[in-house]
Amino acid sequence: KMAGSSAPWIGSAYLFLQSTCKTIVLPSLYESSQKKPSVFKALKLALADSTGSMNGVDMLKVHCSHPHLIVQLKFCKQENCRRFLQSYREGALQESLQNHLQLSLAMTTVPLEMELKAGNEHLDNMLKDEDRCLECIYREKPDRLRDEEITELEECLKSLFVHQSISNNVAVNDCASLNSPSLPYPSHGSSLSPQVTFIFQGQQFANRTLTPDDHQKFAKLVSKKWKQVGRSLQKSCRALRDPVIDNLALEYDREGLYEQAYQLLLRFIQSEGKKATIARLIAALEENSLVSLAEELLGLHSNEDCS
C-alpha cells in the first residue's frame, strides 16, 4: 500500500513549463525582480484552482533552466494529488495558468507547454493510469524544505490579498486565509458568496466574478457599443476614466473591435479584482440595450450577435 495507517501521504513531482511564444521566456521573467512576484502569483493561483484549495499543493522551489521554468511540488494528501492530476490531465491546469499569467503580466496571451515528472518517470505517458501516477509521486519524497525565497513570495502574496480585501471593503478574514483570493479569474463558477444574487428580466441569478469565458463572449459580441458599456462601468470603476477608454480605441484601432472590447474588460477585471462581477457587467449591458448579450452571458437562450 502507498501509505500506512499512521504515516501521512506525502509525495513530490516536478512541473516543467515552457512558453510556446518565442518572445515570452518564463525563466527570464521569473529571474526579473519586477516580474517574479507576478509569475509566482499566477503559479500559486493556478495550483490552487487545480486542487480547490490554496494549501492543496506546496511549491518547494522554482528552478530556472532555460527555456523551462521547473516547479518542485509537494503533496501532503492523496486526494489533493488526485485532484491535481485530474486538472492536469483534462487541461484545466494549463488553461488556468495561462489565464493567470496573462492577467498577472498584463499580456494578451501566454501559450504554454507542460510536462510532469516524478523522478525518472514521465507522468504524461501514463496519465490515464491515475493510480500508477500516484505511486510514482508517492515514491518521490521531497528532497528539500521550502526555499526561503518561496516563503518570502508567499508572505508577499498574503499581504497583497489582505491589502486588496481591505481596499475592496471586504472583511479581512475572507482573504487573509488565502482560501478565496481577491484576484481576477478565480476557479470557474466561484461566487462572492452563496447569498449574493441579482435580478435580470424577473429571474434571480447568482452573482459571481467574471470568467475568461465571459470575457471572450463580451469581446466577440459587444461590437461598436464597447465604449458605451465602458462609460457605464466607469461610474463605479476609476480605472475606466474617459482618457483610458479613448486611448484604448486609438491603441487597438488596427486590431479591431474585438481587441478594443477585450482590453476594456481586461482593465475592469484587473482593477476591480473580486469585485468585477457579472452583475455589474449585466447592469452596464442593460443600460445600453444589449439585452441579447446579457442573455448570452447568463446562459439563456440567445446566441445572436448584438448590434
Side-chain angles (χ1 to χ4, degrees):
K1 291 182 178 180
M2 281 188 281
S5 56
S6 58
W9 195 98
I10 294 176
S12 181
Y14 287 90
L15 183 63
F16 287 70
L17 305 169
Q18 179 183 357
S19 172
T20 54
C21 176
K22 290 181 180 179
T23 58
I24 301 173
V25 184
L26 291 178
S28 298
L29 290 171
Y30 193 78
E31 286 167 342
S32 158
S33 57
Q34 288 183 318
K35 300 289 187 183
K36 180 177 286 184
S38 297
V39 176
F40 179 80
K41 179 176 72 175
L43 287 168
K44 184 73 178 174
L45 293 176
L47 289 169
D49 286 347
S50 74
T51 60
S53 165
M54 271 289 182
N55 304 313
V57 55
D58 195 16
M59 279 188 278
L60 298 182
K61 184 173 177 62
V62 178
H63 306 263
C64 293
S65 178
H66 291 258
H68 291 99
L69 198 65
I70 308 171
V71 188
Q72 186 174 7
L73 304 173
K74 175 186 176 183
F75 299 92
C76 289
K77 287 184 179 179
Q78 188 180 141
E79 62 195 72
N80 288 333
C81 194
R82 280 192 188 277
R83 287 195 196 109
F84 169 85
L85 285 169
Q86 182 180 356
S87 177
Y88 181 85
R89 185 174 65 243
E90 294 174 353
L93 174 63
Q94 182 175 350
E95 183 181 354
S96 174
L97 183 53
Q98 286 176 166
N99 287 331
H100 285 304
L101 283 169
Q102 177 185 329
L103 284 161
S104 294
L105 297 169
M107 293 180 172
T108 50
T109 181
V110 185
L112 292 176
E113 280 184 351
M114 291 182 151
E115 191 177 357
L116 190 62
K117 295 181 182 178
N120 295 322
E121 299 287 352
H122 291 250
L123 301 186
D124 296 71
N125 299 330
M126 58 179 87
L127 288 173
K128 290 182 179 178
D129 190 345
E130 192 173 278
D131 286 337
R132 189 178 167 201
C133 289
L134 285 166
E135 280 279 5
C136 294
I137 292 171
Y138 177 72
R139 205 161 51 228
E140 290 299 315
K141 299 303 180 193
D143 60 0
R144 66 167 67 243
L145 297 174
R146 183 197 288 179
D147 263 23
E148 286 183 14
E149 180 182 66
I150 297 288
T151 302
E152 288 174 13
L153 288 164
E154 291 268 8
E155 290 302 313
C156 287
L157 197 56
K158 186 180 289 188
S159 299
L160 174 68
F161 288 152
V162 174
H163 172 73
Q164 286 191 342
S165 70
I166 293 169
S167 63
N168 286 344
N169 296 318
V170 178
V172 177
N173 291 339
D174 287 349
C175 296
S177 66
L178 293 187
N179 286 330
S180 52
S182 172
L183 287 163
Y185 294 169
S187 55
H188 184 67
S190 67
S191 58
L192 297 180
S193 83
Q195 293 78 34
V196 182
T197 59
F198 66 100
I199 303 296
F200 174 74
Q201 293 185 342
Q203 294 185 54
Q204 195 171 40
F205 293 90
N207 197 10
R208 55 176 173 76
T209 312
L210 292 171
T211 67
D213 191 47
D214 298 327
H215 197 165
Q216 289 174 358
K217 282 181 180 177
F218 170 81
K220 182 181 177 183
L221 300 175
V222 70
S223 192
K224 295 177 182 178
K225 286 194 173 182
W226 69 269
K227 272 190 174 184
Q228 292 166 251
V229 176
R231 292 199 169 97
S232 294
L233 290 171
Q234 79 177 191
K235 295 171 187 175
S236 60
C237 177
R238 291 181 183 177
L240 294 179
R241 293 185 303 271
D242 266 324
V244 174
I245 295 175
D246 292 335
N247 287 343
L248 286 175
L250 291 170
E251 189 177 349
Y252 296 97
D253 181 50
R254 287 187 179 183
E255 284 86 349
L257 293 172
Y258 175 92
E259 193 60 31
Q260 289 170 329
Y262 188 93
Q263 292 297 327
L264 171 85
L265 203 59
L266 181 61
R267 297 293 194 284
F268 177 66
I269 290 167
Q270 287 177 328
S271 67
E272 297 297 293
K274 194 175 180 181
K275 297 175 87 176
T277 61
I278 190 71
R280 290 174 72 182
L281 182 56
I282 294 299
L285 294 174
E286 278 194 287
E287 191 172 311
N288 292 285
S289 304
L290 292 167
V291 175
S292 59
L293 174 49
E295 290 174 341
E296 178 72 26
L297 291 175
L298 293 172
L300 299 176
H301 54 84
S302 175
N303 288 311
E304 298 171 8
D305 285 4
C306 299
S307 58

Short mmCIF file of all heavy atoms in Angstrom, two decimals, residues 84-105:
data_model
loop_
_atom_site.label_atom_id
_atom_site.label_comp_id
_atom_site.label_asym_id
_atom_site.label_seq_id
_atom_site.Cartn_x
_atom_site.Cartn_y
_atom_site.Cartn_z
N PHE A 84 -5.26 17.32 -8.47
CA PHE A 84 -4.24 17.95 -9.30
C PHE A 84 -4.04 17.18 -10.60
O PHE A 84 -4.01 17.75 -11.69
CB PHE A 84 -2.92 18.04 -8.54
CG PHE A 84 -1.75 18.44 -9.39
CD1 PHE A 84 -1.49 19.78 -9.62
CD2 PHE A 84 -0.93 17.48 -9.97
CE1 PHE A 84 -0.42 20.16 -10.43
CE2 PHE A 84 0.14 17.85 -10.78
CZ PHE A 84 0.40 19.20 -11.00
N LEU A 85 -3.92 15.85 -10.50
CA LEU A 85 -3.70 15.02 -11.68
C LEU A 85 -4.88 15.11 -12.65
O LEU A 85 -4.70 15.15 -13.87
CB LEU A 85 -3.48 13.56 -11.27
CG LEU A 85 -2.10 13.23 -10.66
CD1 LEU A 85 -2.10 11.83 -10.06
CD2 LEU A 85 -1.00 13.38 -11.71
N GLN A 86 -6.09 15.14 -12.10
CA GLN A 86 -7.28 15.26 -12.95
C GLN A 86 -7.28 16.60 -13.68
O GLN A 86 -7.54 16.67 -14.89
CB GLN A 86 -8.55 15.13 -12.11
CG GLN A 86 -9.82 15.20 -12.93
CD GLN A 86 -11.08 15.08 -12.08
OE1 GLN A 86 -11.02 14.87 -10.88
NE2 GLN A 86 -12.23 15.21 -12.71
N SER A 87 -6.95 17.67 -12.95
CA SER A 87 -6.90 19.01 -13.55
C SER A 87 -5.82 19.07 -14.63
O SER A 87 -6.02 19.64 -15.71
CB SER A 87 -6.63 20.04 -12.46
OG SER A 87 -6.51 21.34 -13.01
N TYR A 88 -4.68 18.45 -14.34
CA TYR A 88 -3.58 18.43 -15.30
C TYR A 88 -3.96 17.62 -16.55
O TYR A 88 -3.76 18.06 -17.69
CB TYR A 88 -2.34 17.82 -14.64
CG TYR A 88 -1.12 17.77 -15.54
CD1 TYR A 88 -0.28 18.88 -15.64
CD2 TYR A 88 -0.82 16.64 -16.29
CE1 TYR A 88 0.84 18.85 -16.46
CE2 TYR A 88 0.28 16.60 -17.13
CZ TYR A 88 1.11 17.70 -17.21
OH TYR A 88 2.20 17.67 -18.04
N ARG A 89 -4.55 16.46 -16.33
CA ARG A 89 -4.92 15.56 -17.43
C ARG A 89 -5.96 16.20 -18.35
O ARG A 89 -5.90 16.06 -19.57
CB ARG A 89 -5.47 14.26 -16.84
CG ARG A 89 -5.79 13.18 -17.88
CD ARG A 89 -6.20 11.87 -17.20
NE ARG A 89 -7.43 11.98 -16.45
CZ ARG A 89 -7.52 11.80 -15.12
NH1 ARG A 89 -6.45 11.51 -14.41
NH2 ARG A 89 -8.68 11.92 -14.50
N GLU A 90 -6.92 16.91 -17.78
CA GLU A 90 -8.01 17.49 -18.56
C GLU A 90 -7.65 18.83 -19.21
O GLU A 90 -8.45 19.41 -19.93
CB GLU A 90 -9.24 17.66 -17.66
CG GLU A 90 -9.83 16.33 -17.19
CD GLU A 90 -10.96 16.51 -16.19
OE1 GLU A 90 -11.18 17.66 -15.76
OE2 GLU A 90 -11.60 15.50 -15.84
N GLY A 91 -6.45 19.34 -18.90
CA GLY A 91 -6.03 20.62 -19.48
C GLY A 91 -6.50 21.83 -18.70
O GLY A 91 -6.22 22.98 -19.09
N ALA A 92 -7.22 21.61 -17.59
CA ALA A 92 -7.74 22.73 -16.81
C ALA A 92 -6.60 23.52 -16.15
O ALA A 92 -6.65 24.75 -16.07
CB ALA A 92 -8.71 22.23 -15.75
N LEU A 93 -5.58 22.81 -15.67
CA LEU A 93 -4.44 23.49 -15.03
C LEU A 93 -3.73 24.37 -16.04
O LEU A 93 -3.39 25.53 -15.74
CB LEU A 93 -3.47 22.46 -14.45
CG LEU A 93 -2.17 23.04 -13.87
CD1 LEU A 93 -2.45 23.95 -12.69
CD2 LEU A 93 -1.22 21.92 -13.45
N GLN A 94 -3.53 23.85 -17.24
CA GLN A 94 -2.86 24.64 -18.27
C GLN A 94 -3.65 25.90 -18.61
O GLN A 94 -3.09 27.00 -18.69
CB GLN A 94 -2.67 23.78 -19.52
CG GLN A 94 -1.92 24.49 -20.64
CD GLN A 94 -1.64 23.58 -21.81
OE1 GLN A 94 -1.84 22.37 -21.74
NE2 GLN A 94 -1.15 24.14 -22.90
N GLU A 95 -4.95 25.73 -18.79
CA GLU A 95 -5.80 26.89 -19.12
C GLU A 95 -5.80 27.91 -17.99
O GLU A 95 -5.70 29.12 -18.22
CB GLU A 95 -7.23 26.41 -19.40
CG GLU A 95 -8.17 27.52 -19.82
CD GLU A 95 -9.60 27.04 -20.08
OE1 GLU A 95 -9.83 25.81 -20.03
OE2 GLU A 95 -10.47 27.89 -20.30
N SER A 96 -5.89 27.42 -16.76
CA SER A 96 -5.90 28.31 -15.60
C SER A 96 -4.60 29.09 -15.50
O SER A 96 -4.60 30.31 -15.28
CB SER A 96 -6.13 27.50 -14.32
OG SER A 96 -6.02 28.31 -13.18
N LEU A 97 -3.47 28.40 -15.67
CA LEU A 97 -2.17 29.07 -15.56
C LEU A 97 -1.98 30.09 -16.68
O LEU A 97 -1.46 31.19 -16.44
CB LEU A 97 -1.04 28.04 -15.57
CG LEU A 97 0.38 28.60 -15.38
CD1 LEU A 97 0.47 29.49 -14.14
CD2 LEU A 97 1.39 27.47 -15.28
N GLN A 98 -2.42 29.75 -17.89
CA GLN A 98 -2.33 30.70 -18.99
C GLN A 98 -3.13 31.97 -18.68
O GLN A 98 -2.66 33.09 -18.92
CB GLN A 98 -2.84 30.05 -20.29
CG GLN A 98 -1.86 29.04 -20.87
CD GLN A 98 -2.38 28.31 -22.09
OE1 GLN A 98 -1.63 27.67 -22.80
NE2 GLN A 98 -3.69 28.37 -22.33
N ASN A 99 -4.33 31.79 -18.13
CA ASN A 99 -5.17 32.95 -17.78
C ASN A 99 -4.54 33.80 -16.68
O ASN A 99 -4.51 35.03 -16.76
CB ASN A 99 -6.56 32.48 -17.34
CG ASN A 99 -7.40 31.99 -18.49
OD1 ASN A 99 -7.25 32.44 -19.63
ND2 ASN A 99 -8.29 31.05 -18.22
N HIS A 100 -4.03 33.14 -15.63
CA HIS A 100 -3.44 33.88 -14.52
C HIS A 100 -2.16 34.60 -14.94
O HIS A 100 -1.90 35.73 -14.51
CB HIS A 100 -3.16 32.95 -13.34
CG HIS A 100 -4.38 32.54 -12.58
ND1 HIS A 100 -5.25 33.47 -12.02
CD2 HIS A 100 -4.90 31.32 -12.28
CE1 HIS A 100 -6.24 32.83 -11.42
NE2 HIS A 100 -6.05 31.53 -11.56
N LEU A 101 -1.35 33.97 -15.78
CA LEU A 101 -0.14 34.63 -16.28
C LEU A 101 -0.50 35.83 -17.15
O LEU A 101 0.11 36.89 -17.07
CB LEU A 101 0.71 33.64 -17.09
CG LEU A 101 1.54 32.63 -16.28
CD1 LEU A 101 2.11 31.56 -17.20
CD2 LEU A 101 2.67 33.32 -15.51
N GLN A 102 -1.51 35.64 -17.98
CA GLN A 102 -1.96 36.72 -18.86
C GLN A 102 -2.37 37.95 -18.05
O GLN A 102 -1.99 39.08 -18.37
CB GLN A 102 -3.15 36.22 -19.69
CG GLN A 102 -3.77 37.27 -20.60
CD GLN A 102 -5.01 36.72 -21.29
OE1 GLN A 102 -5.10 35.53 -21.57
NE2 GLN A 102 -5.97 37.59 -21.57
N LEU A 103 -3.10 37.71 -16.98
CA LEU A 103 -3.55 38.83 -16.15
C LEU A 103 -2.44 39.40 -15.29
O LEU A 103 -2.26 40.61 -15.19
CB LEU A 103 -4.71 38.36 -15.25
CG LEU A 103 -6.04 38.21 -15.99
CD1 LEU A 103 -6.99 37.34 -15.21
CD2 LEU A 103 -6.65 39.58 -16.23
N SER A 104 -1.65 38.52 -14.66
CA SER A 104 -0.58 38.99 -13.77
C SER A 104 0.48 39.79 -14.52
O SER A 104 1.02 40.76 -14.00
CB SER A 104 0.09 37.80 -13.07
OG SER A 104 -0.81 37.17 -12.19
N LEU A 105 0.78 39.36 -15.75
CA LEU A 105 1.84 40.00 -16.52
C LEU A 105 1.30 41.04 -17.50
O LEU A 105 2.06 41.66 -18.23
CB LEU A 105 2.63 38.94 -17.29
CG LEU A 105 3.37 37.91 -16.44
CD1 LEU A 105 3.87 36.76 -17.29
CD2 LEU A 105 4.53 38.56 -15.69
#
